Amino acid sequence: MKFSTVASSSSSQYVYIPMATFDKHDAHAGELSSPTKFHDAAGAVEDGGDDASGDFTGYTRQDRADMSRMGKVQELRRDYRPLSALAFTVILQGVWEVLLTATYQGLVDGGPAGLIWSFIWTWFGMSTVILSLAEMASMAPTAGGQYHWVSEFSPPSIQKQLSYFTGWMSTLSWQAGTASGPFLVGTLIQSSAIVMYPDYEPTSWQGTLMVIAVTIIVWALNIWGARGMPMFQNIMLAVHVLGFLAIVIVFWVLSPRASAQVTFLEFRNEGGWSTTGLALMVGQISAIYACICSDSSAHMAEEIKDAGKTVPNAMVGAYLMNGVVGLIFIITYMFTITDVTAALEDATGYPHMWVFSQAVSAGGVAALNTIPIVLIFAGTLTFNLSTSRQTWAFARDSGLPFSRWLAKVDKRYQVPANAITFTCLFTILLSLINIGSDVAFNAIISLNVVSLMITYVCSIGAVLYRRVRHPELLPACRWSLGRWGVPVNIAGLLYSLHAFFWCFWPEGTPVAADSFNWASVMFVGVFLLSLVDYVLRGRKQYRGPVVLVEGYQSGSW
């Protein structure tokens, strides 16, 4: 596939670009002012300089032109460069870490062979989604991501309502995903304690305390350590690669292995489904979970230098890197699961701990388990960054209750501190539910995948509509699918619908309260909550980011 690069101008002349922006006092009342600025259309690098909100560093003139076209004011520092943006996305997605620690359902429904093959087809299917999102991130590099793209590209008659729904689903999806990270870190720590102290019996309240501790650390680092996050991401990228090598080498050298025929060709149906094929479809959720969230860097677009080019490159580059590493890892890992039943029934609740124990001593198991704990903590820290930016962006467009407070940016640290604080408080509140019922807690965090998939459906469907019906209104971008746009968007839309459908299925039959997939209930609940908020508040206050986009008020939409 060949991608075309479209520059905003072929000359280095200065061009006059109107900039629609919010008046600071009327931002949530929907009143617009339209100051103008001159920008260098060639996109030459300009570090520093005065902008509407003060002195910022790290942006280019192309960044200023993109922000001007979207009617946004630069409020955050652009500290991320190509390497740190790539590292950010790789660490947050963490494919091999997810395949190591979160493949229980895939092993039940499909087994090792099912996990390998479902990862392969999921990676190819999701690649069309990532390519579609990457192009939109180049067209409109904003922290809002999906809800902004829906607002800008969907039919005018449904722009406001559909983007509002997408914004709510995206916000709740990222918030639920953020809550799952500390929970995973806490339970992994408990699993190491079980290995070292067999008499130890973990309790829900201990897990909740660990979630709270991890969340407080994340909160402090993401506010007071924000300037150091790009360097932290680069370091974690090296740990990500070295950790992968360490575990894979242990598997290759010390672990017993199953035969190739068993690993690649023997499928399992422990969920009690009517056919093995149906079990495979249900079990693919493990692979889907491993392949989502490459769009995370899109929500950091207003903190990434030359975002219109760097963000899509980071999204696609991270997806390719994680895909290759993930395929090597899943094949290696599945070879080492010589007894699936024993792995699933391990006292820790994590099959990989059983695999570790077949290769090394108890101390070695705890040492190896430290690698995913550290990396998943790094992913949790990164996830919080992306979540808080998405929440901040939606609040900036008056999409959430208490938007004025959520949309504030700390002037000293130049971070959306209130959105970060809200995200951490939301995680802590959810963790309290785990004390009474881990089923209820898991039901809430299951919202992550299904809600994210529906935002992919809405945003890709919107850009496909605009591409087919009004291609002349698509903004120029420097990372374009070109003539491949329509087929890639169609494939991405169809795959998103496919994944969305299968994300609602339970792990097995018959279904009980503790095995039911509560994602369906949570999805409907969030939809109704967003509908009530829209009727009571949103329809009056929310106009959608499209009203600020250059050309909208002139009637070209």
Side-chain angles (χ1 to χ4, degrees):
M1 184 178 297
K2 184 178 181 181
F3 302 104
S4 60
T5 299
V6 183
S8 59
S9 175
S10 59
S11 69
S12 60
Q13 298 292 320
Y14 278 88
V15 294
Y16 182 77
I17 302 177
M19 178 178 176
T21 183
F22 277 122
D23 180 84
K24 285 293 181 184
H25 300 291
D26 298 320
H28 299 280
E31 298 180 16
L32 303 176
S33 60
S34 299
T36 56
K37 289 180 179 287
F38 285 91
H39 299 289
D40 186 348
V45 174
E46 180 183 277
D47 288 313
D50 294 327
D51 209 297
S53 300
D55 184 50
F56 295 88
T57 61
Y59 59 79
T60 68
R61 288 193 175 99
Q62 186 63 52
D63 289 324
R64 296 181 69 179
D66 286 335
M67 294 290 281
S68 173
R69 189 195 70 81
M70 295 183 293
K72 301 299 183 185
V73 175
Q74 184 70 49
E75 297 184 80
L76 308 176
R77 294 178 58 89
R78 292 185 181 264
D79 289 329
Y80 285 84
R81 301 298 186 264
L83 179 59
S84 52
L86 174 68
F88 180 97
T89 314
V90 169
I91 297 303
L92 188 147
Q93 192 180 25
V95 170
W96 77 258
E97 295 92 335
V98 172
L99 292 174
L100 178 69
T101 60
T103 51
Y104 189 93
Q105 184 166 342
L107 287 172
V108 171
D109 298 313
L115 270 170
I116 291 173
W117 294 110
S118 65
F119 178 79
I120 292 173
W121 78 59
T122 298
W123 188 85
F124 279 106
M126 191 66 74
S127 66
T128 60
V129 176
I130 301 305
L131 291 172
S132 298
L133 297 176
E135 184 186 42
M136 284 185 279
S138 184
M139 292 177 179
T142 168
Q146 287 94 310
Y147 86 87
H148 178 106
W149 303 331
V150 169
S151 180
E152 185 170 342
F153 303 139
S154 61
S157 60
I158 60 172
Q159 279 174 341
K160 181 177 177 180
Q161 296 85 350
L162 189 60
S163 69
Y164 191 82
F165 167 75
T166 304
W168 264 81
M169 284 298 169
S170 183
T171 300
L172 269 296
S173 171
W174 282 94
Q175 290 290 344
T178 303
S180 67
F183 179 75
L184 188 55
V185 171
T187 53
L188 284 172
I189 292 173
Q190 287 181 316
S191 69
S192 291
I194 292 173
V195 171
M196 297 303 296
Y197 305 98
D199 294 334
Y200 167 66
E201 295 183 3
T203 62
S204 296
W205 68 265
Q206 290 170 336
T208 295
L209 287 178
M210 290 184 188
V211 170
I212 294 173
V214 170
T215 303
I216 291 174
I217 295 171
V218 167
W219 171 73
L221 290 175
N222 278 346
I223 291 180
W224 290 284
R227 293 290 299 276
M229 281 299 112
M231 179 59 69
F232 173 80
Q233 304 296 341
N234 292 342
I235 294 171
M236 285 298 105
L237 179 61
V239 176
H240 172 83
V241 174
L242 294 174
F244 160 77
L245 291 175
I247 291 178
V248 164
I249 289 172
V250 168
F251 285 164
W252 286 346
V253 176
L254 300 176
S255 294
R257 289 184 290 276
S259 67
Q261 180 177 356
V262 170
T263 302
F264 287 103
L265 299 178
E266 289 192 9
F267 301 92
R268 296 173 66 92
N269 181 7
E270 301 299 322
W273 299 103
S274 57
T275 66
T276 302
L278 182 57
L280 276 173
M281 291 296 100
V282 174
Q284 70 181 321
I285 184 63
S286 294
I288 292 172
Y289 186 65
C291 290
I292 61 173
C293 292
S294 280
D295 57 304
S296 58
S297 57
H299 301 300
M300 299 295 291
E302 295 175 40
E303 294 168 74
I304 295 176
K305 184 176 181 179
D306 201 15
K309 183 170 64 175
T310 303
V311 169
N313 283 340
M315 291 172 64
V316 175
Y319 193 74
L320 291 172
M321 178 180 175
N322 273 332
V324 172
V325 170
L327 182 60
I328 295 171
F329 186 84
I330 193 65
I331 292 174
T332 300
Y333 181 35
M334 292 304 101
F335 262 109
T336 62
I337 303 182
T338 54
D339 189 336
V340 176
T341 301
L344 292 172
E345 295 177 353
D346 188 78
T348 65
Y350 284 103
H352 76 274
M353 298 295 280
W354 180 87
V355 175
F356 285 166
S357 69
Q358 304 305 299
V360 295
S361 65
V365 171
L368 285 175
N369 199 40
T370 301
I371 297 173
I373 289 174
V374 169
L375 287 168
I376 291 172
F377 171 78
T380 299
L381 190 66
T382 308
F383 213 111
N384 182 279
L385 283 168
S386 191
T387 301
S388 60
R389 271 50 172 186
Q390 195 282 330
T391 301
W392 165 75
F394 195 40
R396 180 177 58 182
D397 287 316
S398 302
L400 294 170
F402 311 108
S403 284
R404 286 183 181 273
W405 183 78
L406 287 169
K408 286 184 178 179
V409 173
D410 186 285
K411 300 302 181 184
R412 179 179 178 184
Y413 299 106
Q414 295 176 340
V415 296
N418 290 350
I420 294 172
T421 300
F422 170 79
T423 299
C424 293
L425 288 175
F426 192 83
T427 296
I428 291 173
L429 288 175
L430 289 184
S431 72
L432 298 178
I433 298 173
N434 186 57
I435 297 176
S437 172
D438 60 346
V439 173
F441 179 76
N442 288 328
I444 293 173
I445 64 177
S446 68
L447 184 67
N448 176 219
V449 181
V450 293
S451 297
L452 197 60
M453 295 313 302
I454 199 63
T455 68
Y456 293 166
V457 169
C458 293
S459 55
I460 296 173
V463 78
L464 180 61
Y465 159 82
R466 181 57 57 88
R467 175 168 264 127
V468 173
R469 294 294 300 273
H470 301 287
E472 72 283 358
L473 294 181
L474 283 176
C477 59
R478 294 178 295 151
W479 199 102
S480 173
L481 293 173
R483 60 191 178 91
W484 290 96
V486 170
V488 169
N489 290 162
I490 291 175
L493 178 62
L494 293 176
Y495 182 78
S496 297
L497 288 168
H498 164 85
F500 177 72
F501 173 77
W502 289 108
C503 285
F504 288 105
W505 285 64
E507 183 180 294
T509 57
V511 179
D514 60 348
S515 61
F516 182 71
N517 187 341
W518 292 92
S520 56
V521 178
M522 298 306 302
F523 181 83
V524 172
V526 172
F527 171 75
L528 293 177
L529 183 62
S530 66
L531 181 62
V532 170
D533 184 65
Y534 181 79
V535 172
L536 297 180
R537 184 195 61 84
R539 62 189 176 92
K540 299 175 184 178
Q541 298 183 21
Y542 181 78
R543 301 178 65 189
V546 69
V547 301
L548 298 178
V549 173
E550 182 181 302
Y552 175 82
Q553 297 203 14
S554 66
S556 60
W557 255 253

